[in-house]
Amino acid sequence: MTHEKPRQPFDPELAAVLPALEGHVPVGMTPDRLEHFRALRFPDIEEQIGDRPVTCVSRTIPGYGGAEIEVSVISREDHCSRGPGIYHIHGGGMVMGNRFSSVHPLIDWALKYDAVAVTVEFRLAPEHPDPIPVEDCYAGLRWMADSADELLFDPDRLVIFGGSGGGGLAAGTTLLARDRGGPKLLGQLLQCPMIDDRNETASSHQYDGIGVWDRTSNLTAWTAVLGERRGTSEVSPYAAAARATDLSGLPPTFIDAGSAEVFRDEDVAFASAIWAAGGVAELHVWGGGFHGFYDIAPDSALARACIAARESWLERLLRH
């Protein structure tokens, strides 16, 4: 007889939405199911902008190894002064999604702060394994920083933002920027980041076959990114930021996670490691939250509190 591991239950309001998500969120995703989830339709950029006065312009830039990748620049139609810059890396476990996945915060920030946002189309695993995804992201960040005059933003107010797999890539890109001497980042905003390929934490075992992104899906994605190196000593901290042994010299960091998701413990440990290195980090663990609850159920009470905390941190950061 098998016994499920005891685990934090989902928030009742969030639990109520889970049955309708079956087949539409990657739970128990094995490699043969990846194409199914890649094919699911999500709102495109035009739908996300709607009738708001925001423009989106796409550019082709050099990625890792000289390959061409796409970025898109989101800004207010009347943008004419040097506000902040937001560099965005999309979620999807590094194996799915595109640069327009869940960019609605970028649209909001363009309107609220007159920010210029750039979202990058990094190449996905398994077709493009590590180090291609994180190196594409770093190439996009370099391009954005080098284009500050053209894009008209303040390079001293450049923030990197990513959630889930994009949060992991954002953390890796930030480490690359530190170790390669730039670009300078004002802060990193990591929502439920995917940062540990080892999957040894309690939370990585507790949430399998349940929720939104479970242990099986996580192992599938990390194997796609790293192949046979997954879980070995051959994994770079740029690929999996939880592997970093030196977290000094990082910009102020925002980290959050649900208490009822695979990434909970690795994200808490990452914040603790930043503090241990003398860094600045703000950590929120949302009781009963499943992975990505703030996007999936944005009108829930927990999501409203989560989004308010994120917005408060960003507003305080940009005030300096």
Side-chain angles (χ1 to χ4, degrees):
M1 180 181 294
T2 60
H3 297 275
E4 286 189 346
K5 291 184 176 294
R7 59 183 173 231
Q8 165 97 30
F10 296 120
D11 173 89
E13 192 177 8
L14 296 179
V17 310
L18 282 174
L21 299 177
E22 188 172 349
H24 297 277
V25 293
V27 177
M29 183 182 72
T30 49
D32 61 299
R33 293 281 286 162
L34 177 56
E35 288 307 318
H36 164 78
F37 290 107
R38 283 181 168 179
L40 294 177
R41 187 187 179 280
F42 293 94
D44 60 27
I45 186 62
E46 289 79 13
E47 291 174 88
Q48 293 183 72
I49 291 175
D51 60 1
R52 290 180 289 179
V54 170
T55 64
C56 178
V57 178
S58 294
R59 301 278 293 271
T60 300
I61 68 166
Y64 178 61
E68 292 186 340
I69 61 173
E70 297 274 336
V71 296
S72 291
V73 182
I74 296 171
S75 60
R76 276 188 356 196
E77 287 181 354
D78 64 351
H79 177 70
C80 61
S81 61
R82 286 183 181 267
I86 310 286
Y87 182 67
H88 173 251
I89 304 174
H90 72 79
M94 297 180 257
V95 296
M96 66 183 79
N98 63 47
R99 68 188 184 280
F100 300 127
S101 300
S102 298
V103 295
H104 48 88
L106 307 183
I107 298 164
D108 295 338
W109 297 333
L111 291 169
K112 182 176 182 179
Y113 300 115
D114 197 13
V116 171
V118 171
T119 183
V120 60
E121 194 73 52
F122 63 89
R123 287 169 287 171
L124 301 174
E127 296 87 350
H128 303 284
D130 176 69
I132 295 172
V134 72
E135 289 284 1
D136 277 353
C137 292
Y138 180 72
L141 178 66
R142 282 231 61 99
W143 176 84
M144 182 178 184
D146 291 344
S147 304
D149 289 341
E150 176 191 352
L151 300 179
L152 201 61
F153 73 89
D154 182 351
D156 292 326
R157 300 173 74 205
L158 177 56
V159 179
I160 193 168
F161 166 49
S164 189
L169 288 168
T173 300
T174 298
L175 288 168
L176 280 172
R178 180 198 67 181
D179 294 346
R180 293 176 178 174
K184 178 184 174 184
L185 290 167
L186 180 65
Q188 59 174 338
L189 201 172
L190 312 176
Q191 292 212 268
C192 54
M194 173 184 173
I195 55 174
D196 196 343
D197 64 292
R198 293 166 292 194
N199 291 279
E200 295 171 349
T201 65
S203 61
S204 75
H205 286 278
Q206 287 173 316
Y207 295 94
D208 199 10
I210 189 170
V212 167
W213 177 269
D214 70 339
R215 177 179 177 81
T216 298
S217 299
N218 204 43
L219 290 169
T220 295
W222 275 118
T223 302
V225 174
L226 298 170
E228 293 181 355
R229 290 184 292 129
R230 179 182 61 77
T232 73
S233 61
E234 302 302 311
V235 176
S236 151
Y238 309 127
R243 299 295 197 123
T245 56
D246 176 14
L247 291 178
S248 63
L250 296 181
T253 301
F254 177 98
I255 301 171
D256 71 2
S259 70
E261 70 163 302
V262 166
F263 299 140
R264 179 194 68 209
D265 294 345
E266 62 199 63
D267 294 346
V268 171
F270 194 62
S272 295
I274 292 173
W275 295 325
V280 176
E282 180 169 319
L283 171 69
H284 297 266
V285 181
W286 300 102
F290 53 64
H291 183 65
F293 68 93
Y294 48 86
D295 276 339
I296 292 170
D299 294 326
S300 65
L302 198 67
R304 289 197 300 271
C306 170
I307 293 167
R310 178 187 73 192
E311 299 303 308
S312 172
W313 178 85
L314 184 60
E315 187 166 337
R316 283 179 279 122
L317 181 76
L318 294 180
R319 194 179 297 157
H320 298 298

